[in-house]
Amino acid sequence: MKKKKVIVVGGGAAGLMAAGQAADLGAETLLLEKMNRPGRKLRITGKGRCNLTNIAALPEFIAHFGPNGRFLRQALSRFFTPDLVAFFEELGVRTVTERGGRIFTASDKALEVVDALVQWNRECGVTLRTRRQVEELLVEEGRVVGVRVLRGSSRKGRSSVEQRVYNADAVIIATGGASYPDTGSTGDGYRLSESAGHTIVPIRPALVPLETAGDIAPRLRNLHLRGVNVRMRINGKKKAEAFGEMIFTHFGLSGPIILSLSRQVVDALRLGRKVILSVDLKPALDEHKLDMRLLRDLDKHGKRQFRMLLIGLLPRKLIPICIEMTGIPPDRKGSQITAQERRQLRMWLKNFQMYVSGYRPFTEAIITAGGVDTREVDPRTMASRLVKGLFFAGEVLDVDGDTGGYNLQASFSTGWVAGRSAALYIG
């Protein structure tokens, strides 16, 4: 009797996990990757260090994905952080836990993760084919039957493209999103899924740096602020806040807390709403305590000029901005600063505002928001509710989370479920 086949489209984190799991359960498994090698995006995650996951408990973990996080509950309940860490330990990849509960490879090398996954796939019996671009998903009478593939080749200076059909009893789409297109994530999965009748929630960049109006950010370029609190206001109403590190760039803002807020910022800007980010530079001090601190400094150093007094309060790059925005003369002595001017300074320290004018493109986004509508996917199996034998895993789904290891864990977990479910489906 002919052995039934599972085809996995995409050789990233989700695809490698799905293919290995399907083969481990006995399915003949073919992994098709359009790039010259698998795991291109995985190699650069966590700035090349690979932030695999996070130690957050399941309810907190899911909360980092917003409203759509509930879709992941089944997958995360079956294959979660301890399981992933143990899985990689068995493959010889040791891990360490760092600030914020983030789990990295002990070697600080994402390449170690890719190599381990590829080797594991080979040992499980997966057939890996690179430079295979899946152009069409073949569906007959509501059931997937295979894929049509374009293969590029070059011989003696001549390039050619071959077409081939691979038959399959189940297909897993794990093509990633549209961010970092140079790694192969160019949105192919959305096109394939839509051709099968699935709804695609409009895609947009997520975990992406933001652009700001005016020249403040360029003047503060490369300044890192740690331990600050940023509040996001949309049309004047506070919608979210985040505490941690941010970075000024030549175009605007980046850094962990900016990336975490960017999902809501992008959606608001797409709707034409006004977005302001307000930075609390002294979050450890409330208004009263900060006022007392300013009074003590002004009393103790009453003969110093205002710009010199600010050295103890702010990074040097921020001092000219503070003087400009508060309107306090830089050469005014501390003893001459009025109560109104002190209030102005206090308000600025607690409410340093910048207007958001835009966001960076997919080429600079860590992940993609939007994708295959999760209402059309069974969260217990990652199977399509519309086409028999079709499964999904990873970023192609309309699920995106905060930075900190959450998204990679989601890719591994949905890949684990999809691979095993596809193998059981054809069995």
Side-chain angles (χ1 to χ4, degrees):
M1 183 177 178
K2 185 180 179 182
K3 198 172 184 181
K4 293 187 176 181
K5 181 182 288 186
V6 173
I7 288 180
V8 179
V9 184
L16 286 166
M17 178 62 80
Q21 292 298 333
D24 192 49
L25 288 188
E28 181 182 350
T29 307
L30 173 63
L31 175 57
L32 300 173
E33 167 57 46
K34 76 175 186 179
M35 305 300 284
N36 63 343
R37 57 186 178 181
R40 290 285 293 269
K41 186 176 179 181
L42 189 54
R43 293 166 189 262
I44 63 173
T45 58
K47 297 181 179 178
R49 299 181 59 218
C50 199
N51 184 186
L52 287 167
T53 183
N54 196 288
I55 63 171
L58 185 59
E60 180 188 346
F61 202 103
I62 290 173
H64 280 277
F65 289 85
N68 266 14
R70 59 182 178 272
F71 172 81
L72 295 172
R73 183 174 295 277
Q74 295 277 355
L76 293 175
S77 296
R78 295 175 63 188
F79 188 77
F80 195 37
T81 303
D83 307 298
L84 184 67
V85 171
F87 169 80
F88 277 111
E89 289 280 353
E90 288 184 15
L91 299 186
V93 180
R94 294 189 304 108
T95 60
V96 294
T97 303
E98 299 186 3
R99 179 173 51 86
R102 298 174 298 166
I103 295 179
F104 288 87
T105 58
S107 66
D108 274 349
K109 295 178 180 178
L111 182 59
E112 181 186 16
V113 174
V114 178
D115 289 345
L117 285 170
V118 171
Q119 181 61 29
W120 170 66
N121 268 255
R122 288 178 178 143
E123 293 171 357
C124 289
V126 174
T127 301
L128 171 62
R129 293 287 182 263
T130 58
R131 295 189 175 92
R132 272 26 176 220
Q133 168 100 27
V134 176
E135 284 294 302
E136 184 181 0
L137 189 64
L138 304 178
V139 179
E140 295 179 2
E141 298 180 354
R143 184 185 302 273
V144 70
V145 296
V147 296
R148 184 172 64 83
V149 172
L150 291 182
R151 179 193 177 194
S153 62
S154 179
R155 295 178 182 175
K156 296 181 180 181
R158 296 180 180 179
S159 60
S160 62
V161 177
E162 304 171 5
Q163 288 195 30
R164 180 173 176 179
V165 170
Y166 291 94
N167 297 319
D169 302 282
V171 173
I172 302 172
I173 296 180
T175 52
S179 57
Y180 291 119
D182 288 345
T183 65
S185 297
T186 54
D188 297 336
Y190 307 130
R191 173 179 53 80
L192 295 173
S193 304
E194 195 169 34
S195 72
H198 275 277
T199 303
I200 304 300
V201 177
I203 64 171
R204 59 268 189 214
L207 297 185
V208 65
L210 302 175
E211 298 173 348
T212 55
D215 66 348
I216 290 178
R219 289 164 61 188
L220 296 174
R221 183 176 181 177
N222 297 327
L223 174 63
H224 289 232
L225 295 180
R226 296 176 175 85
V228 297
N229 194 73
V230 177
R231 297 180 297 275
M232 177 183 66
R233 288 188 172 85
I234 299 176
N235 285 353
K237 295 182 179 179
K238 180 183 170 183
K239 293 295 183 180
E241 63 183 308
F243 176 84
E245 179 183 353
M246 62 180 286
I247 305 166
F248 292 89
T249 70
H250 67 282
F251 55 78
L253 304 171
S254 189
I257 57 178
I258 299 300
L259 297 180
S260 293
L261 293 171
S262 67
R263 182 198 303 128
Q264 295 181 63
V265 172
V266 169
D267 288 344
L269 291 176
R270 286 166 62 90
L271 292 172
R273 293 171 182 166
K274 181 179 178 182
V275 180
I276 296 176
L277 295 182
S278 174
V279 184
D280 184 349
L281 297 166
K282 301 293 178 182
L285 302 174
D286 59 25
E287 294 272 354
H288 177 71
K289 289 180 180 178
L290 180 57
D291 196 40
M292 293 297 102
R293 159 81 184 276
L294 295 176
L295 278 171
R296 285 197 304 272
D297 287 355
L298 294 173
D299 183 59
K300 184 177 180 180
H301 307 291
K303 294 183 179 181
R304 288 186 184 178
Q305 294 180 331
F306 179 56
R307 61 170 170 263
M308 300 304 294
L309 286 168
L310 291 177
I311 293 175
L313 278 173
L314 297 168
R316 287 186 178 273
K317 271 192 173 183
L318 260 179
I319 291 175
I321 304 296
C322 174
I323 291 170
E324 182 180 305
M325 298 188 78
T326 59
I328 302 173
D331 56 354
R332 178 162 294 173
K333 292 183 178 180
S335 59
Q336 296 174 333
I337 291 178
T338 66
Q340 176 60 30
E341 288 171 333
R342 190 180 77 247
R343 178 176 178 274
Q344 186 76 9
L345 174 60
R346 185 180 74 244
M347 291 176 62
W348 184 84
L349 290 169
K350 300 290 286 183
N351 191 31
F352 170 29
Q353 293 188 356
M354 281 164 288
Y355 291 84
V356 181
S357 57
Y359 49 88
R360 304 303 281 176
F362 276 113
T363 53
E364 297 179 39
I366 295 177
I367 60 168
T368 306
V372 176
D373 194 329
T374 54
R375 293 174 296 182
E376 300 170 354
V377 180
D378 187 338
R380 299 166 299 178
T381 61
M382 298 298 132
S384 165
R385 297 184 188 274
L386 309 181
V387 180
K388 293 181 179 179
L390 181 61
F391 298 80
F392 303 94
E395 198 177 333
V396 71
L397 292 159
D398 178 28
V399 181
D400 61 285
D402 294 329
T403 182
Y406 302 102
N407 291 288
L408 202 47
Q409 174 71 59
S411 289
F412 284 128
S413 294
T414 54
W416 188 93
V417 171
R420 299 182 74 83
S421 298
L424 293 171
Y425 166 78
I426 67 171

mmCIF file of all heavy atoms in Angstrom, residues 112-130:
data_model
loop_
_atom_site.group_PDB
_atom_site.id
_atom_site.type_symbol
_atom_site.label_atom_id
_atom_site.label_comp_id
_atom_site.label_asym_id
_atom_site.label_seq_id
_atom_site.Cartn_x
_atom_site.Cartn_y
_atom_site.Cartn_z
ATOM 1 N N GLU A 112 22.809 27.750 15.782
ATOM 2 C CA GLU A 112 22.798 26.465 16.473
ATOM 3 C C GLU A 112 21.399 25.857 16.472
ATOM 4 O O GLU A 112 21.225 24.646 16.310
ATOM 5 C CB GLU A 112 23.294 26.643 17.912
ATOM 6 C CG GLU A 112 23.340 25.344 18.698
ATOM 7 C CD GLU A 112 23.701 25.554 20.160
ATOM 8 O OE1 GLU A 112 23.624 26.704 20.640
ATOM 9 O OE2 GLU A 112 24.062 24.562 20.817
ATOM 10 N N VAL A 113 20.374 26.712 16.620
ATOM 11 C CA VAL A 113 18.989 26.253 16.615
ATOM 12 C C VAL A 113 18.610 25.726 15.235
ATOM 13 O O VAL A 113 17.997 24.656 15.103
ATOM 14 C CB VAL A 113 18.038 27.396 17.032
ATOM 15 C CG1 VAL A 113 16.580 26.977 16.887
ATOM 16 C CG2 VAL A 113 18.329 27.824 18.468
ATOM 17 N N VAL A 114 18.962 26.487 14.206
ATOM 18 C CA VAL A 114 18.645 26.069 12.836
ATOM 19 C C VAL A 114 19.309 24.743 12.504
ATOM 20 O O VAL A 114 18.673 23.814 11.992
ATOM 21 C CB VAL A 114 19.076 27.149 11.825
ATOM 22 C CG1 VAL A 114 18.788 26.688 10.396
ATOM 23 C CG2 VAL A 114 18.356 28.463 12.100
ATOM 24 N N ASP A 115 20.595 24.631 12.801
ATOM 25 C CA ASP A 115 21.335 23.404 12.490
ATOM 26 C C ASP A 115 20.748 22.202 13.222
ATOM 27 O O ASP A 115 20.635 21.096 12.658
ATOM 28 C CB ASP A 115 22.811 23.564 12.866
ATOM 29 C CG ASP A 115 23.557 24.514 11.936
ATOM 30 O OD1 ASP A 115 23.021 24.810 10.850
ATOM 31 O OD2 ASP A 115 24.661 24.960 12.298
ATOM 32 N N ALA A 116 20.357 22.411 14.477
ATOM 33 C CA ALA A 116 19.781 21.312 15.262
ATOM 34 C C ALA A 116 18.448 20.869 14.677
ATOM 35 O O ALA A 116 18.168 19.657 14.597
ATOM 36 C CB ALA A 116 19.608 21.755 16.718
ATOM 37 N N LEU A 117 17.616 21.820 14.263
ATOM 38 C CA LEU A 117 16.312 21.477 13.683
ATOM 39 C C LEU A 117 16.467 20.757 12.349
ATOM 40 O O LEU A 117 15.747 19.787 12.072
ATOM 41 C CB LEU A 117 15.477 22.750 13.504
ATOM 42 C CG LEU A 117 14.875 23.354 14.772
ATOM 43 C CD1 LEU A 117 14.286 24.731 14.482
ATOM 44 C CD2 LEU A 117 13.800 22.434 15.350
ATOM 45 N N VAL A 118 17.384 21.219 11.528
ATOM 46 C CA VAL A 118 17.598 20.578 10.221
ATOM 47 C C VAL A 118 18.112 19.157 10.413
ATOM 48 O O VAL A 118 17.641 18.209 9.763
ATOM 49 C CB VAL A 118 18.576 21.413 9.367
ATOM 50 C CG1 VAL A 118 18.965 20.645 8.103
ATOM 51 C CG2 VAL A 118 17.942 22.745 8.984
ATOM 52 N N GLN A 119 19.076 18.977 11.304
ATOM 53 C CA GLN A 119 19.613 17.644 11.564
ATOM 54 C C GLN A 119 18.540 16.723 12.118
ATOM 55 O O GLN A 119 18.436 15.543 11.726
ATOM 56 C CB GLN A 119 20.782 17.738 12.546
ATOM 57 C CG GLN A 119 21.435 16.401 12.886
ATOM 58 C CD GLN A 119 22.016 15.701 11.673
ATOM 59 O OE1 GLN A 119 22.434 16.346 10.709
ATOM 60 N NE2 GLN A 119 22.031 14.370 11.713
ATOM 61 N N TRP A 120 17.711 17.229 13.010
ATOM 62 C CA TRP A 120 16.614 16.440 13.580
ATOM 63 C C TRP A 120 15.631 16.023 12.492
ATOM 64 O O TRP A 120 15.162 14.880 12.469
ATOM 65 C CB TRP A 120 15.920 17.263 14.669
ATOM 66 C CG TRP A 120 14.631 16.680 15.171
ATOM 67 C CD1 TRP A 120 14.472 15.511 15.862
ATOM 68 C CD2 TRP A 120 13.327 17.239 15.019
ATOM 69 N NE1 TRP A 120 13.136 15.316 16.158
ATOM 70 C CE2 TRP A 120 12.427 16.371 15.657
ATOM 71 C CE3 TRP A 120 12.845 18.405 14.434
ATOM 72 C CZ2 TRP A 120 11.050 16.617 15.694
ATOM 73 C CZ3 TRP A 120 11.481 18.662 14.480
ATOM 74 C CH2 TRP A 120 10.592 17.776 15.100
ATOM 75 N N ASN A 121 15.325 16.924 11.562
ATOM 76 C CA ASN A 121 14.433 16.593 10.455
ATOM 77 C C ASN A 121 15.004 15.447 9.622
ATOM 78 O O ASN A 121 14.282 14.531 9.230
ATOM 79 C CB ASN A 121 14.202 17.826 9.574
ATOM 80 C CG ASN A 121 12.981 18.640 9.980
ATOM 81 O OD1 ASN A 121 11.944 18.601 9.327
ATOM 82 N ND2 ASN A 121 13.096 19.369 11.077
ATOM 83 N N ARG A 122 16.285 15.516 9.360
ATOM 84 C CA ARG A 122 16.920 14.455 8.569
ATOM 85 C C ARG A 122 16.828 13.120 9.299
ATOM 86 O O ARG A 122 16.541 12.075 8.700
ATOM 87 C CB ARG A 122 18.374 14.814 8.297
ATOM 88 C CG ARG A 122 18.538 15.942 7.279
ATOM 89 C CD ARG A 122 19.990 16.292 7.075
ATOM 90 N NE ARG A 122 20.155 17.341 6.078
ATOM 91 C CZ ARG A 122 21.049 18.300 6.141
ATOM 92 N NH1 ARG A 122 21.885 18.361 7.173
ATOM 93 N NH2 ARG A 122 21.136 19.205 5.183
ATOM 94 N N GLU A 123 17.085 13.150 10.596
ATOM 95 C CA GLU A 123 17.032 11.917 11.380
ATOM 96 C C GLU A 123 15.617 11.343 11.441
ATOM 97 O O GLU A 123 15.437 10.122 11.537
ATOM 98 C CB GLU A 123 17.564 12.175 12.787
ATOM 99 C CG GLU A 123 19.057 12.490 12.821
ATOM 100 C CD GLU A 123 19.536 12.951 14.178
ATOM 101 O OE1 GLU A 123 18.683 13.081 15.101
ATOM 102 O OE2 GLU A 123 20.748 13.191 14.338
ATOM 103 N N CYS A 124 14.624 12.229 11.379
ATOM 104 C CA CYS A 124 13.226 11.777 11.394
ATOM 105 C C CYS A 124 12.778 11.252 10.030
ATOM 106 O O CYS A 124 11.693 10.657 9.920
ATOM 107 C CB CYS A 124 12.301 12.911 11.815
ATOM 108 S SG CYS A 124 12.431 13.374 13.555
ATOM 109 N N GLY A 125 13.586 11.492 9.003
ATOM 110 C CA GLY A 125 13.246 11.002 7.677
ATOM 111 C C GLY A 125 12.589 12.014 6.762
ATOM 112 O O GLY A 125 12.051 11.658 5.709
ATOM 113 N N VAL A 126 12.631 13.286 7.133
ATOM 114 C CA VAL A 126 12.042 14.328 6.292
ATOM 115 C C VAL A 126 12.888 14.524 5.041
ATOM 116 O O VAL A 126 14.119 14.574 5.112
ATOM 117 C CB VAL A 126 11.949 15.673 7.066
ATOM 118 C CG1 VAL A 126 11.464 16.798 6.140
ATOM 119 C CG2 VAL A 126 11.025 15.530 8.265
ATOM 120 N N THR A 127 12.229 14.632 3.897
ATOM 121 C CA THR A 127 12.911 14.989 2.656
ATOM 122 C C THR A 127 12.844 16.502 2.493
ATOM 123 O O THR A 127 11.752 17.066 2.411
ATOM 124 C CB THR A 127 12.249 14.315 1.439
ATOM 125 O OG1 THR A 127 12.294 12.894 1.607
ATOM 126 C CG2 THR A 127 12.971 14.690 0.154
ATOM 127 N N LEU A 128 14.005 17.157 2.488
ATOM 128 C CA LEU A 128 14.060 18.612 2.385
ATOM 129 C C LEU A 128 14.474 19.006 0.978
ATOM 130 O O LEU A 128 15.504 18.548 0.475
ATOM 131 C CB LEU A 128 15.061 19.174 3.406
ATOM 132 C CG LEU A 128 15.403 20.664 3.308
ATOM 133 C CD1 LEU A 128 14.159 21.517 3.525
ATOM 134 C CD2 LEU A 128 16.492 21.028 4.317
ATOM 135 N N ARG A 129 13.671 19.869 0.360
ATOM 136 C CA ARG A 129 13.974 20.379 -0.970
ATOM 137 C C ARG A 129 13.995 21.903 -0.922
ATOM 138 O O ARG A 129 12.982 22.530 -0.576
ATOM 139 C CB ARG A 129 12.936 19.898 -1.990
ATOM 140 C CG ARG A 129 12.961 18.395 -2.236
ATOM 141 C CD ARG A 129 14.160 17.987 -3.051
ATOM 142 N NE ARG A 129 14.165 16.557 -3.330
ATOM 143 C CZ ARG A 129 14.831 15.661 -2.634
ATOM 144 N NH1 ARG A 129 15.552 16.057 -1.576
ATOM 145 N NH2 ARG A 129 14.807 14.383 -2.960
ATOM 146 N N THR A 130 15.134 22.488 -1.245
ATOM 147 C CA THR A 130 15.256 23.946 -1.281
ATOM 148 C C THR A 130 15.073 24.457 -2.707
ATOM 149 O O THR A 130 15.031 23.686 -3.660
ATOM 150 C CB THR A 130 16.624 24.383 -0.737
ATOM 151 O OG1 THR A 130 17.653 23.759 -1.507
ATOM 152 C CG2 THR A 130 16.778 23.983 0.725
#
